[in-house]
Amino acid sequence: MKIAVLKEQADGERRVAATPETVRKFIALGATLAVETGAGETASIADAGYADAGASIGDRAATLSGADIVLGVQGPDPATLAGVSPDAWIVASLNPFAERARVEAYAAAGYEALAMEFMPRITRAQSMDILSSQSNLSGYKAVLDAAAEYGRAFPMMMTAAGTISAAKAFVMGVGVAGLQAIATARRLGAQVSATDVRAATREQIQSLGAKPIFVENVAGIEGEGTGGYAGEMSPEYQAAQAELVSGHIAKQDIVITTALIPGRPAPRLISAAQVASMKPGSVIVDLAVEQGGNVEGSVAGEVVVVNGVTIVGHRNVPSRLAADASALFSRNLFNFLSAFWDKDAGRPVLDAEIGDAIRLTQGGRIVNARLSS
Ligand code: NAD
C-alpha cells in the first residue's frame, strides 16, 4: 500500500497533507510513504523531517508511481496524476460543487475520489472533520487579521493619559469559526456580540461571555439545524435580520462574518448601506468571501476600504496558519484512514455510512448523491 503526498499546486496554498508525525503513524500501519520534494516547505516542514520519519522523497513522477492513495490538501490536477494506479484513491478537500469538471476527470481516470469536506457530522467522525479543524483556525486568524487592520486597541485601557474604551466586535454566523472568533476577540479584550439563525447557538454565545443578538419576531432554525448546517432563510426572516443588523452594526468597530450554506452561495448578511453606516476605521472580515461573500463590497483576495471601513477578504485563511493547519488537516486524514484500516487487506476498507457520504467517484462514474442533481 503506497501513499503519496503531493506538493500543493494551487495558488497561495501553503498547507501540506501529511506531517512527519502522520508519516510515522501510516508506516506503523504497514504503508509505504512517498513525499514530493518540497511538499512541506511552506508549512515549515523540511524534506529531512519526512525522510527521518521513514518516507521516500522524490519528484512528482517518483512520488506518484504506483501510488494506491494520493493525499492532498486540495484536489490534485488530474492531468498531473500520471503513474497513479487507475483504481487509486484521491483523498483531499475536493471542492466538488465548484470543481465539477475535475471530479468528472477523476471518474474518467477510474480513481475513487474521496471528498473530505463531505465527512458526515457524526460523533465518530469528529476527529476526521477537516471543516471543523480548518474553520477553527480561520475564526482565530480572522480576529487577528481584524486587529492588525484596526487602528485602535481591542481592550479597554486605563492609562495616566486617559481611558481607551474596548472595541465592540460582532460575529455573524456562530459555527466552528464563529465560536473561535468570539473566544479570540474576548481574549483580546473586545466587547463581543454574535448572531446566528440556529437557535442552539444562543446558549453557546452566552457561555463564551458574548451577547446574543437574535431575530425574535420570525422563527429561525430550531436547535442545531440538520447536521449542524443552516439552510436558506425565508424572505421574511431575511428582512427581519436586515433590520436587526442595521440597528446593531453602526455601533460596531469589528465585524467577523462566517455564515455558510453547504452547496449554495453564502448568504448576504451586510449590505453596502450597512457598511456605509459604520464608523470610519471599523473593520469587517468576510470569511465567506470565496463562497460569494456575506458582505456587499468584499473582494476575494483583497483588503478594500469603502467609506473609511476596511473590508478584509483574504482567500484560504487556514493556509495563513500553514503549520498548524497542516498538522490538524494531516491528523484528520490519518484519523480517517486509520479508523478503517483492515489489517488483512493491508489497506483501508470504508463502511457505508462514511464511504457513501464522501465518495464522489467509483468505477468510472460519479456516485455521490449530493452531486447527482
Ligand atoms: P458552517 O460553516 O456551515 O456555517 C457557519 C455558521 O453560519 C453556522 O453556524 C450557520 O448556522 C450560520 N449561518 C448560516 N446562514 C446564516 C445566516 N443567514 N445568518 C446568520 N448565520 C448564518 O457551520 P459549521 O461551522 O461547519 O458548523 C455548524 C454546526 O455544526 C456547529 O454547531 C458545529 O458544532 C456542528 N458540527 C458538528 C460536527 C460533528 O459532530 N462531527 C462537525 C462540525 C460541525
Side-chain angles (χ1 to χ4, degrees):
M1 160 62 40
K2 175 175 173 179
I3 299 179
V5 180
L6 298 180
K7 183 173 170 58
E8 296 295 315
Q9 292 174 314
D11 263 0
E13 183 54 79
R14 302 172 63 80
R15 294 169 292 175
V16 59
T19 60
E21 175 195 310
T22 62
V23 163
R24 261 189 208 96
K25 289 178 170 172
F26 278 124
I27 289 172
L29 288 176
T32 306
L33 269 285
V35 178
E36 186 176 352
T37 308
E41 200 178 315
T42 49
S44 311
I45 306 171
D47 288 346
Y50 291 113
D52 290 349
S56 63
I57 312 294
D59 62 14
R60 200 171 176 90
T63 303
L64 288 173
S65 171
D68 303 292
I69 297 182
V70 178
L71 300 183
V73 173
Q74 299 191 35
D77 179 351
T80 67
L81 290 177
V84 176
S85 315
D87 55 354
W89 289 9
I90 312 292
V91 188
S93 167
L94 297 177
N95 200 8
F97 296 116
E99 300 274 6
R100 178 86 189 198
R102 176 169 287 192
V103 176
E104 280 164 7
Y106 291 148
Y111 306 139
E112 195 163 321
L114 303 175
M116 289 297 289
E117 62 268 68
F118 278 9
M119 191 63 69
R121 286 172 163 181
I122 51 177
T123 306
R124 75 186 167 106
Q126 268 177 356
S127 67
M128 313 170 190
D129 186 357
I130 58 159
L131 291 184
S132 292
S133 72
Q134 306 301 293
S135 294
N136 207 343
L137 290 167
S138 298
Y140 162 80
K141 188 66 173 166
V143 175
L144 296 196
D145 284 337
E149 294 293 340
Y150 189 46
R152 296 168 188 267
F154 265 42
M156 184 181 88
M157 289 188 195
M158 295 169 89
T159 78
T163 300
I164 291 173
S165 50
K168 291 193 174 70
F170 181 37
V171 176
M172 304 185 73
V174 186
V176 178
L179 285 171
Q180 186 56 251
I182 294 173
T184 305
R186 290 265 302 151
R187 269 183 234 129
L188 287 180
Q191 241 178 56
V192 185
S193 57
T195 191
D196 201 292
V197 291
R198 294 181 301 115
T201 59
R202 185 192 291 263
E203 213 175 290
Q204 295 163 1
I205 294 166
Q206 280 164 332
S207 73
L208 288 172
K211 185 177 174 198
I213 304 285
F214 274 68
V215 170
E216 305 288 359
N217 49 343
V218 186
I221 296 172
E222 270 179 45
E224 279 285 2
T226 313
Y229 287 117
E232 241 163 39
M233 305 307 286
S234 64
E236 199 188 0
Y237 184 97
Q238 287 178 28
Q241 187 183 43
E243 197 184 324
L244 178 80
V245 171
S246 291
H248 190 65
I249 207 167
K251 296 175 234 144
Q252 302 304 308
D253 302 301
I254 305 292
V255 178
I256 312 282
T257 71
T258 77
L260 293 177
I261 301 169
R264 315 269 318 160
R268 181 52 51 86
L269 301 181
I270 302 181
S271 66
Q274 287 165 336
V275 173
S277 77
M278 295 180 73
K279 290 169 279 186
S282 308
V283 181
I284 304 175
V285 178
D286 187 348
L287 279 183
V289 71
E290 288 177 281
Q291 286 80 24
N294 295 141
V295 183
E296 191 170 357
S298 66
V299 182
E302 288 186 27
V303 176
V304 296
V305 180
V306 182
N307 296 325
V309 176
T310 302
I311 308 177
V312 179
H314 291 310
R315 288 181 191 275
N316 196 349
V317 176
S319 177
R320 295 165 56 73
L321 294 165
D324 278 336
S326 300
L328 297 182
F329 195 105
S330 300
R331 282 187 205 141
N332 291 143
L333 289 176
F334 176 78
N335 293 338
F336 162 53
L337 293 170
S338 62
F340 291 105
W341 205 269
D342 182 312
K343 280 204 189 101
D344 298 333
R347 58 170 302 137
V349 178
L350 303 186
D351 67 16
E353 187 180 30
I354 289 182
D356 292 353
I358 68 171
R359 190 180 296 109
L360 303 184
T361 63
Q362 192 176 40
R365 290 186 309 117
I366 292 182
V367 292
N368 195 285
R370 289 173 73 180
L371 297 184
S372 59
S373 49

